[in-house]
């Protein structure tokens, strides 16, 4: 089964096994065994040494909000592990399944609450269409179905509850509802401190004009007990975190994200919205509809549009101000997923506008076609993401278009993730001419130099790249001797063998003059075409620079610095000569 308690999710979850199984929340010595047995991440970054404390005293990086919500599911998994004979270590299959089930349950709960909210303003058909397009047409799908242990699904449900409670309190204010609004806000912050921006929703709700603002102030003044209970609820909701920080570090307020910070005066707005790496509207273009719906909502329900717009702008600014604006591995911009709960309101307004009898049938027909195409695009790209075709962290324009609408990208497509160039025409228009080849067969075995007899593509010999041997033997060619001229396309290739993937290894091609590089290209040796426990062919094509000289040197080698162990054979350079009839 696919483990979901990995990477950041492990950090949210680590409180539970540390407290209830290993009774070691302060040192987490059990983490080494978990890392070795389940490999949830490349390193144990989910906790770190407390500054100034004795060696080995750790503090968790992430806040404990999700751990509180997961507690009943954790104990269900713990009971199931004993009953089914699995290790009761907090990470075996029953725990993973229980947390996954919890994520699905919270997703259904959130959608159910949003449905009740939307039905207050819109028809049943509008509400249904909004929910269908939300689930199938945006990256919410990823966090409700596959990455259900990430915070976004739970935060979405928290926002849904906050919206519903806020609506209920403004229609019929009670002290219980005020307290629950505060408690919900506190839990949102406990899950993710930056969700404090949610406070603008109850604060601005019902304010569509200056007169509404004055009336809201008078109402809050008259119901000061409700305001006090809201504050108490918020404090209680967030209280577990400062208590934990004080226990772990001696400080009630502690910044646990190290050198990761917000830059509020330099937000990455363009990158967050439109970049090929993690552009929100590029990977979830369906969300253009609720953005347009803000205009409609402003005209039809201004007292709701004001808090929705204020929240969206403030939240987008905070999300964009985070230094690591791409937020790690995801499809599209995952940090905005929870805000979709608020955006369902303008989404509903836009759908209601489209379904009005006054709208032209042709406009509705176009809207249906566009919606179907965007849903299809979203689901297909989610499939690509789950198949590791869409890279979770390093997408770029070249690679995006190289793999667009493809189920089986080629090696040339995968190379676009790393290099900027490719053959100007289809490969069949070129005739490769070998320039040099290194098959390691005639080199003497030398463990010190990495020449190994453990594996070989055509023979038993190859180069073993690992931490002790970061550089392979190289091909070194003088351009003039090979009749290469500026603009000539050269293909660098090699065969690679690895047990679990040649992660971090790169095939390098560089042109040097007087010992200094004037152009440098490299492509990773691990991609979707790689074969575990077998030999794979990796190649890429790059042109010689326009200022290349006959005495410049072409060097091709494999770089394995701080990378996984692998074996390299048939290192080769070829001139990609255009065919005469092309």
């Amino acid at each position: 089964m696919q483990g979901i308690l990995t990477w950041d999710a492990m950090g949210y979850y680590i409180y539970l096994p540390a407290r209830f199984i290993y009774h070691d929340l302060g040192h987490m010595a059990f983490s080494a065994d978990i890392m070795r047995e389940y490999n949830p991440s490349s390193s144990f970054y989910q906790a770190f040494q407390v500054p100034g404390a004795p060696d080995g005293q750790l503090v968790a990086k992430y806040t404990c909000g999700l751990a509180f919500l997961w507690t009943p599911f954790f104990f269900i998994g713990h009971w199931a592990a004993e009953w089914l004979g699995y290790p009761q270590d907090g990470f075996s299959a029953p725990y993973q399944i229980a947390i996954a089930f919890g994520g699905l349950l919270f997703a259904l709960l959130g959608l159910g609450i949003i449905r009740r909210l939307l039905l207050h303003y819109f028809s049943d058909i509008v509400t249904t269409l909004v929910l269908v397009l939300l689930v199938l047409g945006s990256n919410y799908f990823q966090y409700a179905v596959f990455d259900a242990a990430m915070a976004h699904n739970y935060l979405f449900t928290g926002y849904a509850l906050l919206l519903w409670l806020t609506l209920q309190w403004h229609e019929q204010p009670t002290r219980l509802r005020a307290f629950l609004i505060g408690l919900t806000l506190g839990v949102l912050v406990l899950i993710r401190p930056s969700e404090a921006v949610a406070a603008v929703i109850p604060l601005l709700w019902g304010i569509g004009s200056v007169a509404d603002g004055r009336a809201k102030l008078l109402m809050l003044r008259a119901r000061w007990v409700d305001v006090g209970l809201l504050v108490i609820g918020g404090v209680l909701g967030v209280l577990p975190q400062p208590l934990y920080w004080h226990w772990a570090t001696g400080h009630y307020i502690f910044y646990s994200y190290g050198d990761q910070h917000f830059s509020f005066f330099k937000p990455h707005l363009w990158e967050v919205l439109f970049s090929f790496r993690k552009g929100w509207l590029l990977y979830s273009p369906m969300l253009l509809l609720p953005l347009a719906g803000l205009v409609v909502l402003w005209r039809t329900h201004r007292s709701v549009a004001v808090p929705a717009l204020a929240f969206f702008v403030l939240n987008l600014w905070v999300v964009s101000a985070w230094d690591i604006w791409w937020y790690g591995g995801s499809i599209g911009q995952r940090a905005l997923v929870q805000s979709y709960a608020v955006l369902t309101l303008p989404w509903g307004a836009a759908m209601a506008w489209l379904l009005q009898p006054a709208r032209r049938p042709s406009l509705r027909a176009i809207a249906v076609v566009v919606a179907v195409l965007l849903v299809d695009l979203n689901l297909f790209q989610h499939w690509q993401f789950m198949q590791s075709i869409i890279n979770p962290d390093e997408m770029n324009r070249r690679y995006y278009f190289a793999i667009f609408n493809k189920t089986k990208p080629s090696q040339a497509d995968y190379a676009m993730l790393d290099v900027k160039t490719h053959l100007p025409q289809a490969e069949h228009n070129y005739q490769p001419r070998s320039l040099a080849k290194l098959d390691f067969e005639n080199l003497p075995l030398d463990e010190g130099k990495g020449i190994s007899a453990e594996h070989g593509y055509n023979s038993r010999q190859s180069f073993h790249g690992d931490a002790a041997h970061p550089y392979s033997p190289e091909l070194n060619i003088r351009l003039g001797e090979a009749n290469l001229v500026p603009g000539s396309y050269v293909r660098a290739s090699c065969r690679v063998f690895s047990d679990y993937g040649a992660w971090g290894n790169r095939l390098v091609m560089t042109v040097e003059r007087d010992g200094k590089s004037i152009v440098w290209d490299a492509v990773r040796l691990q991609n979707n075409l790689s074969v575990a426990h077998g030999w794979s062919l990796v190649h890429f094509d790059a042109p010689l620079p326009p200022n290349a000289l006959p005495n410049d040197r072409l060097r091709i080698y494999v770089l394995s610095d701080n990378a996984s162990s692998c074996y390299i054979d048939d290192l080769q350079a070829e001139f990609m000569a255009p065919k005469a009839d092309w």
Side-chain angles (χ1 to χ4, degrees):
M1 64 164 289
Q2 177 186 345
I4 66 170
L5 295 174
T6 59
W7 301 96
D8 290 3
M10 179 187 178
Y12 303 135
Y13 174 78
I14 197 72
Y15 293 91
L16 294 171
R19 174 63 182 86
F20 296 111
I21 296 178
Y22 301 99
H23 308 291
D24 183 18
L25 190 56
H27 296 84
M28 303 187 193
F30 64 91
S31 61
D33 294 332
I34 299 301
M35 295 295 294
R36 182 174 56 255
E37 181 68 23
Y38 297 99
N39 193 30
S41 57
S42 59
S43 64
F44 185 58
Y45 68 88
Q46 294 85 353
F48 60 94
Q49 172 69 38
V50 176
D55 287 346
Q57 185 172 328
L58 304 183
V59 60
K61 177 178 180 178
Y62 300 105
T63 50
C64 61
L66 279 185
F68 271 89
L69 298 183
W70 280 335
T71 300
F73 305 105
F74 167 80
F75 281 110
I76 291 173
H78 194 63
W79 165 80
E82 181 181 24
W83 181 48
L84 297 173
Y86 283 86
Q88 288 186 293
D89 57 6
F91 287 84
S92 60
Y95 298 93
Q96 306 272 354
I97 294 172
I99 298 301
F101 174 78
L104 179 60
L105 188 63
F106 267 83
L108 294 174
L109 176 62
L111 293 173
I113 297 173
I114 285 295
R115 183 177 184 276
R116 295 191 66 180
L117 175 74
L118 293 179
L119 286 174
H120 188 82
Y121 297 99
F122 310 109
S123 67
D124 189 68
I125 187 170
V126 167
T127 297
T128 301
L129 287 173
V130 169
L131 294 179
V132 169
L133 294 179
L134 165 68
V135 174
L136 300 182
S138 76
N139 57 343
Y140 173 79
F141 181 77
Q142 181 69 28
Y143 296 95
V145 178
F146 299 108
D147 288 331
M150 294 296 287
H152 314 288
N153 175 34
Y154 296 86
L155 289 170
F156 175 93
T157 299
Y159 273 99
L161 181 60
L162 177 65
L163 288 164
W164 177 247
L165 289 170
T166 299
L167 171 64
Q168 292 294 299
W169 186 87
H170 281 80
E171 291 196 337
Q172 187 177 351
T174 67
R175 293 176 180 179
L176 176 60
R177 286 171 178 167
F179 174 79
L180 291 177
I181 289 173
L183 185 63
T184 303
L185 282 170
V187 172
L188 287 172
V189 174
L190 187 64
I191 295 174
R192 194 173 184 146
S194 59
E195 303 307 326
V197 296
V200 302
I201 295 172
L203 182 64
L204 297 181
W205 194 273
I207 299 177
S209 64
V210 175
D212 290 341
R214 291 176 182 147
K216 180 73 173 283
L217 285 174
L218 291 174
M219 182 183 184
L220 295 177
R221 188 176 300 172
R223 300 194 65 87
W224 61 269
V225 176
D226 290 33
V227 175
L229 288 171
L230 186 151
V231 172
I232 292 173
V235 171
L236 290 177
V238 80
L239 185 60
Q241 195 60 44
L243 292 179
Y244 164 73
W245 279 335
H246 185 264
W247 174 84
T249 70
H251 305 282
Y252 285 105
I253 303 298
F254 179 79
Y255 190 77
S256 60
Y257 280 79
D259 57 355
Q260 301 173 5
H261 297 279
F262 288 97
S263 298
F264 290 108
F265 296 105
K266 294 182 179 180
H268 305 272
L269 289 169
W270 178 265
E271 293 91 338
V272 166
L273 290 174
F274 302 112
S275 72
F276 282 87
R277 184 174 188 179
K278 289 293 177 66
W280 178 49
L281 296 176
L282 180 72
Y283 289 96
S284 294
M286 184 72 77
L287 272 300
L288 284 167
L289 185 59
L291 293 188
L294 283 168
V295 177
V296 182
L297 191 68
W298 186 270
R299 293 174 179 174
T300 58
H301 300 89
R302 185 164 299 184
S303 62
V304 176
V306 168
L309 179 60
F311 166 79
F312 175 74
V313 171
L314 182 59
N315 184 60
L316 177 62
W317 192 272
V318 171
V319 167
S320 302
W322 187 238
D323 290 341
I324 307 177
W325 59 267
W326 58 95
Y327 290 88
S330 66
I331 177 169
Q333 188 54 245
R334 66 181 175 92
L336 289 170
V337 168
Q338 52 266 34
S339 69
Y340 299 171
V342 180
L343 290 180
T344 57
L345 290 166
W347 205 327
M351 293 301 301
W353 182 87
L354 283 170
L355 293 178
Q356 286 178 0
R359 302 284 85 79
R360 293 180 179 180
S362 58
L363 178 61
R364 290 202 202 107
I366 292 172
V368 169
V369 171
V370 171
V372 170
L373 290 176
L374 292 181
V375 166
D376 179 69
L377 174 65
N378 185 67
L379 295 178
F380 181 72
Q381 289 193 333
H382 273 78
W383 178 86
Q384 285 186 311
F385 180 76
M386 295 304 295
Q387 297 298 315
S388 299
I389 296 173
I390 287 182
N391 188 280
D393 199 37
E394 301 175 83
M395 292 293 292
N396 58 52
R397 179 191 296 269
R398 303 179 306 275
Y399 183 65
Y400 179 88
F401 287 112
I403 64 164
F404 188 81
N405 205 33
K406 290 184 179 179
T407 58
K408 295 181 179 179
S410 65
Q411 171 59 39
D413 294 328
Y414 284 114
M416 290 295 95
L417 196 58
D418 298 307
V419 298
K420 297 180 179 180
T421 57
H422 56 82
L423 295 173
Q425 297 295 324
E427 187 172 334
H428 65 261
N429 291 315
Y430 297 85
Q431 182 65 50
R433 173 169 64 85
S434 180
L435 299 174
K437 184 176 181 179
L438 183 58
D439 59 15
F440 303 98
E441 292 183 16
N442 298 318
L443 296 179
L445 292 176
D446 190 331
E447 184 177 343
K449 295 182 178 180
I451 308 303
S452 167
E454 293 184 50
H455 297 283
Y457 181 66
N458 288 315
S459 68
R460 293 297 298 171
Q461 289 193 193
S462 63
F463 169 75
H464 185 198
D466 57 14
H469 311 101
Y471 294 93
S472 76
E474 67 176 33
L475 301 176
N476 195 315
I477 305 164
R478 194 172 75 88
L479 301 188
E481 293 176 353
N483 296 318
L484 295 174
V485 297
S488 297
Y489 272 82
V490 176
R491 170 167 292 183
S493 64
C494 70
R495 301 278 178 175
V496 57
F497 178 100
S498 62
D499 289 327
Y500 305 106
W503 301 102
N505 295 276
R506 290 177 289 176
L507 174 63
V508 179
M509 178 164 60
T510 180
V511 176
E512 295 186 357
R513 180 179 302 158
D514 300 326
K516 296 181 180 180
S517 175
I518 60 174
V519 65
W520 190 94
D521 287 296
V523 66
R524 65 196 70 191
L525 297 187
Q526 179 68 29
N527 60 47
N528 260 25
L529 299 177
S530 301
V531 179
H533 311 289
W535 287 95
S536 302
L537 175 64
V538 175
H539 68 76
F540 71 96
D541 305 294
L544 298 180
N547 62 339
L549 301 176
N551 285 328
D552 292 342
R553 312 293 300 193
L554 176 70
R555 296 177 59 219
I556 296 176
Y557 58 94
V558 169
L559 176 63
S560 303
D561 187 27
N562 195 29
S564 302
S565 171
C566 68
Y567 295 86
I568 304 299
D569 207 348
D570 289 358
L571 186 64
Q572 185 169 207
E574 297 172 285
F575 167 51
M576 303 300 287
K579 291 182 178 179
D581 58 349
W582 173 58

